[in-house]
C-alpha cells in the first residue's frame, strides 16, 4: 500500500513577522479498497494575484477576486452566476462613559475596510475538494469547495490590533429589505428586523449556528460551527463578527479590557439556494426554517462524524456498514440525547444493565417540492433493536423518573416537538 503526502507552505509577509506560517497537508492512502484518484491533488499552484474559479462535477462553482476573496457563486450548471462579494472590515471602539469593552459592543461608527497589504494566494485543485487560500495580515482565509458546498475557514489573529473588532461581510443583490433571520439555539430560527432609528449595535444579534437573508428568488445561508454575533445592516448584506480586542474596561465589572486574544479558527459553510421550489411563509410569520439541505449541512458542521478506522490483516480501512440491525429514522427526526441511567433501576431488567434514557426531537424544515412527504413517525423498538419484553416509558426531559408506559412502539412527533423516554435493557 502506497502513501502519498503533499505538504505546501504559503507564508504571508505580515504573518511571517509574527512567526505565523500556514501549511496545507493533503494525505491520500492507496489500497485495493480505496477510491482511485491518481495523483491528488491534481494541481497545486502559487499564484500572483489573479481571479480564480473552482467547479465541481455537479455544476456548482465559486469565483474569487484577485485578492482571493469570494466574488460569486453558481448553484448548478443550469443556474446563472450570482454576485456575492466577501470582505473583511473593522469597527473602531467608542470612547467615553459608555464605551466598548468585554460586555459592550459600542462602535465609533460604521465598519471600514481593512488594508490587505501584499497577498499570497494558494490554489489547490483535486477530485474530492479544491481550495483557494489567502494570507491576510490578520487572518488566514481558506475557501474549500466540495460536492456539498463551500466551506470557509478563518484563522484569525488580531493580537497586535488594539481597539479593533473584525467582521466578515457578504454583499449581494438579494433584496431582503430590513428583514433577516438568525437561529436562537440551534433549533429555532427567528425573524429579525433592522431599525435605522436605533444604534448600529442594537441591530446586532447572537448567531449560535445559522443566519440567512432571502428574497423571492434566492436565499443565502451562513452556517457557523461556533457561536458569534451578526447582522444585516443593509439590504443584501450579511455580516458576522470574527474577533474583538479592546484596551479599555467598559465599567461593567470585569475591571480590564479584552487583551487575551489568541489565534482562533472559525469554520463556516455558505449555502446559496433557489427559492422557487419552496413554499413561502406569510410575511407576518415571526420565524423561519432552514431547508432540508442546509439543515443536514448544519448537522455535519456542528456534529461531524467520527470515522472509525481499524487495522486488520494488514488492511487499513473503515467498516463498510454500521448499525445495520437498527432502523433509521426519517429525515428531520433526531436522537438529541441517549444516556445511561444508573440511578433508575427497571423492573425485569438484566442485572448489571442500567435503564436507558432517550430524547427525540423533530426539526421543522421548509417545505420544498423536492422533499419527501414526512409523517414524523419513529418506531423506538426498531430504532434501538429492543426485545419485545422491554417496556418503554414516557419521561420528563430531566430523565429523572419514569411516567406512563407508552402503549405503542410507534411514536409521532409534530414539527419542533421534543419527547423523552426511558427504556429497560
Amino acid at each position: 500500500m502506497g502513501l502519498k503526502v503533499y505538504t505546501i507552505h504559503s507564508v504571508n509577509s505580515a504573518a511571517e513577522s509574527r512567526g505565523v506560517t500556514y501549511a496545507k497537508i493533503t494525505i491520500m492512502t492507496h489500497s485495493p479498497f480505496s477510491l482511485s484518484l491518481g495523483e491528488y491533488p491534481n494541481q497545486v499552484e502559487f499564484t500572483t494575484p489573479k481571479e480564480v474559479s473552482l467547479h465541481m462535477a455537479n455544476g456548482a462553482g465559486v469565483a474569487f477576486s484577485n485578492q482571493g476573496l469570494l466574488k460569486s457563486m453558481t448553484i448548478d450548471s443550469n443556474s446563472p452566476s450570482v454576485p456575492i462579494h466577501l470582505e473583511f472590515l473593522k469597527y473602531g471602539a467608542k470612547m467615553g462613559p459608555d464605551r466598548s469593552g468585554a460586555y459592550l459592543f459600542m462602535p465609533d461608527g460604521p465598519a471600514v475596510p481593512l488594508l490587505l497589504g501584499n497577498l499570497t494566494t494558494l490554489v489547490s485543485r483535486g477530485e474530492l475538494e479544491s481550495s483557494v487560500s489567502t494570507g491576510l495580515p490578520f487572518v488566514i482565509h481558506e475557501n474549500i469547495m466540495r460536492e456539498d458546498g463551500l466551506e470557509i475557514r478563518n484563522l484569525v489573529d488580531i493580537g497586535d490590533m488594539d481597539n479593533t473588532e473584525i467582521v466578515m461581510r457578504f454583499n449581494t443583490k438579494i433584496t431582503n429589505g430590513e428583514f433577516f433571520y438568525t437561529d436562537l439555539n440551534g433549533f429555532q430560527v427567528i425573524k429579525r428586523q433592522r431599525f435605522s432609528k436605533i444604534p448600529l449595535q442594537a441591530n446586532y444579534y447572537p448567531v449560535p449556528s445559522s443566519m440567512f437573508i432571502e428574497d423571492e428568488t434566492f436565499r443565502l445561508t451562513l452556517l457557523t460551527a461556533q457561536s458569534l454575533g451578526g447582522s444585516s445592516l443593509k439590504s443584501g448584506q450579511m455580516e458576522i463578527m470574527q474577533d474583538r480586542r479592546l484596551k479599555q474596561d467598559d465599567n461593567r465589572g470585569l475591571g480590564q479590557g479584552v487583551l487575551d486574544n489568541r489565534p482562533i479558527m472559525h469554520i463556516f459553510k455558505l449555502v446559496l439556494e433557489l427559492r422557487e421550489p419552496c413554499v413561502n411563509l406569510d410575511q407576518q410569520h415571526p420565524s423561519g426554517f432552514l431547508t432540508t439541505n442546509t439543515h443536514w449541512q448544519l448537522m455535519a458542521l456542528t456534529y461531524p462524524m467520527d470515522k472509525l478506522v481499524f487495522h486488520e490483516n494488514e488492511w487499513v480501512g473503515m467498516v463498510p456498514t454500521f448499525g445495520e440491525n437498527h432502523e433509521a429514522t426519517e429525515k428531520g427526526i433526531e436522537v438529541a440525547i441517549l444516556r445511561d441511567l444508573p440511578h433508575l433501576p427497571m423492573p425485569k431488567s438484566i442485572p448489571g444493565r442500567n435503564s436507558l434514557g432517550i430524547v427525540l426531537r423533530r426539526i421543522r424544515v421548509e417545505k420544498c417540492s423536492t422533499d419527501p412527504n414526512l409523517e414524523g413517525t419513529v418506531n423506538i423498538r426498531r430504532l434501538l433493536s429492543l426485545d419485545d419484553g422491554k417496556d418503554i416509558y414516557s419521561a420528563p426531559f430531566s430523565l429523572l423518573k419514569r411516567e406512563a408506559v407508552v402503549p405503542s412502539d410507534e411514536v409521532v412527533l409534530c414539527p419542533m416537538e421534543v419527547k423523552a423516554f426511558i427504556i429497560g435493557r
Side-chain angles (χ1 to χ4, degrees):
M1 178 178 66
L3 183 68
K4 295 185 180 297
V5 181
Y6 299 86
T7 305
I8 305 149
H9 296 276
S10 173
V11 182
N12 172 265
S13 57
E16 186 179 19
S17 64
R18 301 198 299 269
V20 178
T21 302
Y22 170 70
K24 178 181 177 66
I25 304 176
T26 303
I27 302 177
M28 270 307 301
T29 302
H30 298 275
S31 77
F33 301 93
S34 67
L35 182 64
S36 176
L37 297 176
E39 298 298 322
Y40 180 84
N42 289 344
Q43 182 180 357
V44 177
E45 55 185 281
F46 292 93
T47 74
T48 56
K50 68 177 182 180
E51 295 187 356
V52 178
S53 62
L54 304 176
H55 297 277
M56 302 306 293
N58 60 6
V62 287
F64 300 89
S65 68
N66 57 10
Q67 296 176 323
L69 302 179
L70 181 66
K71 186 178 70 172
S72 65
M73 296 183 70
T74 305
I75 298 175
D76 53 41
S77 56
N78 299 320
S79 302
S81 178
V82 179
I84 301 174
H85 294 271
L86 184 150
E87 59 181 339
F88 290 96
L89 305 99
K90 71 172 182 177
Y91 289 102
K94 180 182 178 181
M95 299 297 179
D98 292 325
R99 55 193 179 186
S100 277
Y103 296 104
L104 295 182
F105 172 43
M106 303 281 288
D108 59 0
V112 297
L114 282 154
L115 297 177
L116 302 183
N118 297 324
L119 303 181
T120 300
T121 302
L122 167 67
V123 179
S124 174
R125 304 179 191 273
E127 298 290 338
L128 296 179
E129 66 180 40
S130 298
S131 66
V132 173
S133 305
T134 302
L136 306 177
F138 49 87
V139 61
I140 296 170
H141 177 61
E142 184 177 15
N143 297 269
I144 306 171
M145 187 65 182
R146 304 188 183 96
E147 288 288 345
D148 62 349
L150 178 67
E151 181 176 302
I152 299 174
R153 292 175 176 252
N154 292 331
L155 181 59
V156 183
D157 182 8
I158 61 170
D160 57 358
M161 301 171 67
D162 290 339
N163 283 336
T164 298
E165 302 180 74
I166 301 290
V167 296
M168 180 174 64
R169 178 181 291 174
F170 301 91
N171 297 293
T172 75
K173 293 184 178 180
I174 295 174
T175 54
N176 62 299
E178 69 271 18
F179 296 104
F180 61 103
Y181 297 80
T182 68
D183 75 297
L184 294 172
N185 48 18
F187 186 53
Q188 299 161 299
V189 177
I190 189 169
K191 188 176 186 178
R192 306 291 193 182
Q193 184 173 2
R194 180 184 67 256
F195 294 98
S196 58
K197 63 181 180 181
I198 61 178
L200 180 153
Q201 60 270 22
N203 287 305
Y204 246 76
Y205 294 95
V207 182
S209 65
S210 62
M211 66 183 301
F212 63 83
I213 57 175
E214 66 179 9
D215 57 17
E216 294 182 354
T217 307
F218 294 105
R219 173 186 287 186
L220 183 67
T221 305
L222 182 67
L223 308 174
T224 172
Q226 54 288 310
S227 298
L228 298 165
S231 186
S232 173
L233 299 178
K234 289 183 180 179
S235 180
Q237 277 189 3
M238 187 166 58
E239 69 178 54
I240 191 162
M241 188 68 68
Q242 300 296 290
D243 203 0
R244 313 169 68 228
R245 182 175 176 86
L246 303 158
K247 294 182 64 176
Q248 62 283 333
D249 178 44
D250 55 8
N251 300 316
R252 292 300 184 274
L254 185 63
Q256 63 184 44
V258 182
L259 299 171
D260 57 347
N261 304 77
R262 296 291 184 272
I264 183 171
M265 174 69 77
H266 293 317
I267 305 176
F268 308 93
K269 281 196 172 184
L270 189 66
V271 185
L272 179 66
E273 297 173 294
L274 283 170
R275 300 292 302 137
E276 182 180 354
C278 299
V279 176
N280 291 323
L281 297 172
D282 185 270
Q283 291 186 352
Q284 303 303 317
H285 200 286
S287 63
F289 306 98
L290 299 178
T291 63
T292 302
N293 174 40
T294 52
H295 170 68
W296 286 109
Q297 290 207 43
L298 177 61
M299 292 298 100
L301 181 64
T302 53
Y303 302 103
M305 182 179 295
D306 291 327
K307 301 176 179 62
L308 305 178
V309 180
F310 69 96
H311 185 278
E312 182 180 359
N313 298 328
E314 299 184 353
W315 178 77
V316 177
M318 291 185 292
V319 178
T321 59
F322 176 77
E324 57 186 354
N325 296 326
H326 299 258
E327 181 178 280
T329 63
E330 68 177 37
K331 288 187 176 181
I333 296 179
E334 301 170 352
V335 178
I337 296 174
L338 187 63
R339 183 175 298 164
D340 193 43
L341 303 178
H343 66 280
L344 200 63
M346 295 281 285
K348 299 184 294 183
S349 62
I350 299 175
R353 288 194 180 184
N354 300 318
S355 54
L356 188 70
I358 184 171
V359 176
L360 300 173
R361 70 177 187 178
R362 182 182 176 190
I363 298 291
R364 177 173 174 180
V365 293
E366 198 157 75
K367 293 182 178 179
C368 300
S369 60
T370 56
D371 294 335
N373 184 31
L374 304 177
E375 299 178 352
T377 302
V378 56
N379 189 303
I380 298 178
R381 195 173 300 278
R382 290 205 294 265
L383 173 66
L384 300 176
S385 296
L386 298 176
D387 297 334
D388 292 336
K390 304 302 181 183
D391 290 329
I392 302 172
Y393 297 84
S394 60
F397 295 145
S398 61
L399 298 174
L400 291 177
K401 63 178 182 179
R402 298 187 301 272
E403 294 180 343
V405 175
V406 177
S408 173
D409 296 343
E410 289 196 346
V411 177
V412 178
L413 287 88
C414 297
M416 307 303 289
E417 187 176 19
V418 183
K419 289 184 178 181
F421 304 93
I422 292 176
I423 304 153
R425 290 193 292 170

